[in-house]
Amino acid sequence: MDDPRILVTGGAGFLGSHLCDRLVASGRDVLCVDNFFTGSKRNVAHLIGQPHFELMRHDVTFPLFVEVDRIFNLACPASPVHYQYDPVQTTKTSVHGAINMLGLAKRTGARILQASTSEVYGDPEVHPQPEGYWGRVNPIGIRSCYDEGKRCAETLFFDYHRQHRVDIKVMRIFNTYGPRMHPNDGRVVSNFIVQALKGEDLTIYGDGSQTRSFCYVDDLIEGMLRLMDSPAGFTGPVNIGNPGEFTMLELAELVLKQVGGASKLVHKPLPADDPKQRKPDIALAQSALGWQPTVALEDGLRETIAYFRKLLAS
């Protein structure tokens, strides 16, 4: 397809805005849709007025009638602070949003990519997590609105694929960080950086031995684009993330080393259902997409800290 018309839902969010940047830079026509619950016009302000970019306020829990060739479905609050604020709406966004976007893909014949999450694995008993692992998720906990909403969305994608032959791609995103993260999203990277820049103590939940794997946003978007452009027979799901594994204590020390200052570490109780380990098995992404992350955590943190330093100063 020479010049596809591309819809990005959640396009004014952290990941969505970086995706819009890449697509517009490549000369694609992009319709960015967002209800601005966690997304911000500031993230795409530099694109407004460009001939290949259009911004629309819309909530994906309602049907959308547009003509497009490709759909990136990224709409959903992705941090516990935001998705637990209105858990019913979070589930609606994942489930009704998937139904509406899949319906649009079915009508227009568009290829559609679902931004799923490593949270579908829950608090895993298998480490690292391969795509064939079905997960260990609490269906009635405080994180369930997001975890189970995303799991149900994957179910819908594969049922639309089997029943209606919709051309789908499903990616499971592991912890991603970088410029344009929301400063108050409660995620560990933004938490540590903002606290350190403000000279506050860094909050460690539990003993800090729980691990996460952090993927820089540029690497993540490259993986997303490669998955969208992969052959029609390859649906995923496919893990996209950085297999480098760090404890929360190690991350805190890296942030303090780069920011400086006299911040100390303070410990608070571990939230309910917080996974103890999170690390992607990316063998499938490497073999099927020729993708693997290239940005080291230290380098990505440097860019992210510079962004937050400028944001807080303004």
Side-chain angles (χ1 to χ4, degrees):
M1 191 175 297
D2 295 330
D3 192 20
R5 298 157 297 179
I6 299 176
L7 167 63
V8 180
T9 72
F14 163 46
L15 295 181
S17 63
H18 284 277
L19 175 60
C20 287
D21 279 348
R22 282 287 301 270
L23 293 170
V24 171
S26 67
R28 310 289 180 87
D29 281 321
V30 176
L31 172 59
C32 170
V33 164
D34 208 295
N35 69 349
F36 303 115
F37 174 59
T38 57
S40 169
K41 288 181 183 176
R42 180 181 64 238
N43 289 338
V44 292
H46 59 287
L47 296 175
I48 294 173
Q50 294 199 29
H52 291 290
F53 182 79
E54 183 179 355
L55 178 63
M56 175 192 294
R57 181 189 291 269
H58 180 80
D59 188 322
V60 295
T61 60
F62 298 95
L64 180 63
F65 300 99
V66 293
E67 303 303 318
V68 291
D69 304 298
R70 290 190 168 183
I71 303 166
F72 289 87
N73 187 38
L74 276 61
C76 190
S79 72
V81 167
H82 291 139
Y83 66 63
Q84 290 170 9
Y85 173 77
D86 189 344
V88 172
Q89 183 63 25
T90 295
T91 304
K92 283 183 175 180
T93 300
S94 284
V95 177
H96 292 187
I99 290 169
N100 288 328
M101 292 305 108
L102 284 161
L104 175 61
K106 179 186 169 190
R107 179 180 68 79
T108 60
R111 172 175 288 187
I112 181 168
L113 181 147
Q114 167 68 358
S116 190
T117 172
S118 61
E119 297 299 329
V120 300
Y121 299 121
D123 189 2
E125 301 153 301
V126 174
H127 191 76
Q129 294 81 56
E131 291 85 353
Y133 175 55
W134 290 356
R136 178 173 173 261
V137 176
N138 177 359
I140 58 171
I142 59 171
R143 299 171 69 104
S144 307
C145 59
Y146 183 70
D147 300 4
E148 295 288 37
K150 288 288 193 178
R151 284 164 69 95
C152 184
E154 286 197 14
T155 301
L156 285 162
F157 265 69
F158 278 89
D159 283 337
Y160 266 79
H161 174 63
R162 286 184 287 254
Q163 188 174 340
H164 300 299
R165 294 185 174 82
V166 173
D167 186 1
I168 67 164
K169 305 287 181 182
V170 176
M171 68 181 295
R172 292 177 177 162
I173 297 172
F174 282 69
N175 293 60
T176 307
Y177 70 100
R180 300 182 199 154
M181 291 185 82
H182 197 291
N184 302 314
D185 66 6
R187 297 192 218 191
V188 65
V189 172
S190 48
N191 262 9
F192 284 173
I193 292 174
V194 170
Q195 287 173 335
L197 288 171
K198 289 182 174 179
E200 300 170 354
D201 292 337
L202 273 59
T203 306
I204 302 274
Y205 293 98
D207 62 6
S209 64
Q210 66 271 36
T211 67
R212 294 293 183 272
S213 302
F214 301 101
C215 185
Y216 189 62
V217 62
D218 290 355
D219 282 335
L220 188 284
I221 298 302
E222 177 64 27
M224 185 179 288
L225 292 170
R226 289 194 188 196
L227 176 58
M228 180 59 100
D229 290 337
S230 63
F234 182 69
T235 59
V238 58
N239 292 335
I240 299 291
N242 193 319
E245 189 177 11
F246 295 86
T247 67
M248 299 302 93
L249 287 172
E250 288 171 331
L251 176 66
E253 288 162 4
L254 278 172
V255 170
L256 287 176
K257 181 180 176 182
Q258 291 200 18
V259 173
S263 298
K264 299 183 180 65
L265 306 182
V266 295
H267 291 262
K268 291 190 176 181
L270 198 64
D273 300 326
D274 192 58
K276 298 175 194 67
Q277 291 179 304
R278 186 55 55 72
K279 175 181 177 177
D281 180 330
I282 63 166
L284 181 59
Q286 289 172 316
S287 62
L289 306 177
W291 177 88
Q292 62 182 24
T294 60
V295 180
L297 181 59
E298 292 86 347
D299 297 330
L301 283 176
R302 194 172 298 111
E303 296 295 323
T304 311
I305 289 167
Y307 167 79
F308 277 113
R309 198 185 295 276
K310 187 175 178 181
L311 185 71
L312 293 175
S314 64

